[in-house]
Amino acid sequence: MADIGSRKADHLDLATTGDVGFRSRTTLFECVELVHDALPELDVAAIDLSCTVLGKRLAAPILIAAMTGGTERAQRINRELASIAEERGYAFGLGSQRAILKNRESLPTYGVRDVMPRALLLGNLGVVQASKLSTEEVRDLVGLVQADALCIHLNPAMEVVQAEGDRDFRGGLATLERLNSELGVPVIAKETGCGLSGSVADRLRARGIRHVDVSGAGGTSWVAVEMHRATGANKSLGQTFRDWGIPTAASVGLMARRGFDTVFATGGVKDGLDIAKAIALGASAGGIARGALQALEAGGRAGAVSFFERLEGELRTAMLLVGAKDLAALRQAPRLVRGELADWLTL
Ligand SMILES: Cc1cc2nc3c(=O)[nH]c(=O)nc-3n(C[C@H](O)[C@H](O)[C@H](O)COP(=O)(O)O)c2cc1C
């Protein structure tokens, strides 16, 4: 059985260069058309991308989503991306903190607060691990990394394809409810590439959960990642379920009408136009994981910075071209929702 360190190394390698996208399933952002305004009456330089998420001011609605921790390479990636988040006013998510539970010496690989003293920092733990810990133990994990909020990730599809993965998912909702009421920092229910449905949203809302990261289908397929690592029956299971999940745009639309305080739109967000569409559908911010990692690994810090500059430029341009001077106006912008996305939103 692979230990956490070698699994994390496999994940980073596969996410950087592997064939881990969805095959035919897309985010469905292509089904959203924002309507062009030929008379925007705006100065591009005055368009305001800022917003408040989980009580902290962001200069732009961008989350660098949870990826890693636990190894030296993870430490370098976390610190580089976290410092970019601080510099540019984004939110940043640490990868699963499970490794700290196994080995306290891995804590420095999650240590980003010195390079990110102000920006919104999200801790991360799987729901199955969280269900085995007391609230005090989870609070300790949050405190160790000085996170502002904790993502509890839900990843049943990935786990069942992983040979060493979890198989018993009972008690997840009760764990989310307990942590949400006892932890003392906001709890975010986060998928990992398969999206959140309207029914899950209703169950979360009924238990008082107010923040979600949809992490929908159409970007990184974690079933595909585990399929590459698997052998035998697990590999074949991964091949069958590689494209499983709810497209990101559909999941955002389904969350938006349920009144969550925070909706992160993660999963296959590839450019600033996707972020604009996500915000128009009701997201608080767009999240990017693999694209940020690839930009960093291919081009170093400068590569990652130019990736985010492009994203912001595209978002600003989309806002100009729909005549939206700020994100509140973008949420009201006229749009057309077509095809499969329209079908999802009637669910
Ligand atoms: C290398 C890598 C490691 C990840 N590890 C975690 C994790 O530990 N916890 C988690 O909640 N999500 C994890 N994710 C999932 C991402 O946060 C994100 O939800 C998902 O990859 C979809 O976004 P994307 O299409 O932009 O990659 C990981 C993603 C990548 C690429």
Side-chain angles (χ1 to χ4, degrees):
M1 262 201 199
D3 65 18
I4 295 186
S6 76
R7 186 160 75 232
K8 290 283 158 198
D10 285 356
H11 285 169
L12 284 175
D13 286 339
L14 283 162
T16 310
T17 52
D19 167 25
V20 294
F22 281 71
R23 273 275 150 80
S24 54
R25 180 144 297 214
T26 68
T27 59
L28 296 185
F29 281 121
E30 70 278 12
C31 293
V32 182
E33 185 106 34
L34 298 175
V35 179
H36 177 60
D37 182 341
L39 277 172
E41 299 291 338
L42 290 171
D43 173 356
V44 179
I47 290 176
D48 180 9
L49 305 187
S50 72
C51 55
T52 299
V53 177
L54 291 159
K56 281 213 166 166
R57 202 75 192 145
L58 305 188
I62 295 175
L63 161 71
I64 304 176
M67 281 189 275
T68 199
T71 64
E72 260 177 50
R73 184 177 172 200
Q75 178 167 16
R76 177 182 60 75
I77 292 165
N78 275 336
R79 291 179 67 77
E80 202 72 86
L81 292 176
S83 73
I84 292 172
E86 176 77 16
E87 204 174 277
R88 305 189 66 82
Y90 304 159
F92 176 77
L94 290 165
S96 169
Q97 294 174 242
R98 185 182 190 179
I100 305 175
L101 292 171
K102 303 264 174 192
N103 173 15
R104 282 267 160 154
E105 283 172 19
S106 69
L107 181 58
T109 67
Y110 297 84
V112 297
R113 260 307 180 208
D114 59 323
V115 294
M116 192 187 157
R118 287 181 304 272
L120 178 63
L121 177 61
L122 311 181
N124 192 291
L125 195 62
V127 71
V128 174
Q129 277 70 54
S131 69
K132 295 175 184 149
L133 298 176
S134 69
T135 303
E136 195 46 56
E137 287 169 314
V138 177
R139 193 178 295 125
D140 185 38
L141 277 179
V142 172
L144 284 170
V145 298
Q146 296 174 264
D148 298 299
L150 180 67
C151 291
I152 296 291
H153 70 252
L154 319 174
N155 61 348
M158 168 187 179
E159 293 288 342
V160 292
V161 174
Q162 189 183 104
E164 65 272 29
D166 296 313
R167 295 290 183 273
D168 182 354
F169 301 97
R170 289 173 297 178
L173 196 54
T175 299
L176 281 161
E177 182 179 27
R178 167 172 64 89
L179 293 176
N180 190 55
S181 63
E182 297 176 0
L183 195 59
V185 298
V187 167
I188 302 156
K190 175 186 183 299
E191 239 291 342
T192 47
C194 293
L196 299 173
S197 67
S199 149
V200 166
D202 290 339
R203 280 176 270 157
L204 292 171
R205 289 294 290 138
R207 303 291 184 112
I209 311 299
R210 298 181 1 236
H211 315 286
V212 288
D213 182 337
V214 305
S215 188
T220 307
S221 162
W222 276 90
V223 170
V225 172
E226 292 302 342
M227 176 197 79
H228 288 300
R229 297 182 61 248
T231 52
N234 287 89
K235 195 172 213 61
S236 137
L237 195 62
Q239 281 157 350
T240 303
F241 284 90
R242 176 178 189 153
D243 265 15
W244 181 263
I246 302 161
T248 300
S251 198
V252 169
L254 292 168
M255 297 308 111
R257 56 175 75 149
R258 286 172 168 86
F260 287 98
D261 293 352
T262 312
V263 177
F264 290 110
T266 307
V269 170
K270 66 181 182 318
D271 53 34
L273 182 53
D274 280 352
I275 296 177
K277 290 176 176 179
I279 303 247
L281 289 172
S284 315
I288 294 143
R290 187 163 50 117
L293 174 69
Q294 288 174 323
L296 179 69
E297 295 297 68
R301 186 185 179 83
V305 167
S306 68
F307 172 80
F308 286 113
E309 279 171 352
R310 169 176 71 79
L311 245 58
E312 275 188 53
E314 290 162 343
L315 172 58
R316 195 178 288 280
T317 302
M319 289 172 69
L320 172 81
L321 296 179
V322 298
K325 68 177 189 346
D326 56 22
L327 299 178
L330 178 56
R331 284 196 184 91
Q332 303 300 322
R335 87 290 309 265
L336 209 71
V337 173
R338 283 191 306 248
E340 193 184 333
L341 181 57
D343 294 343
W344 275 102
L345 297 184
T346 59
L347 258 187

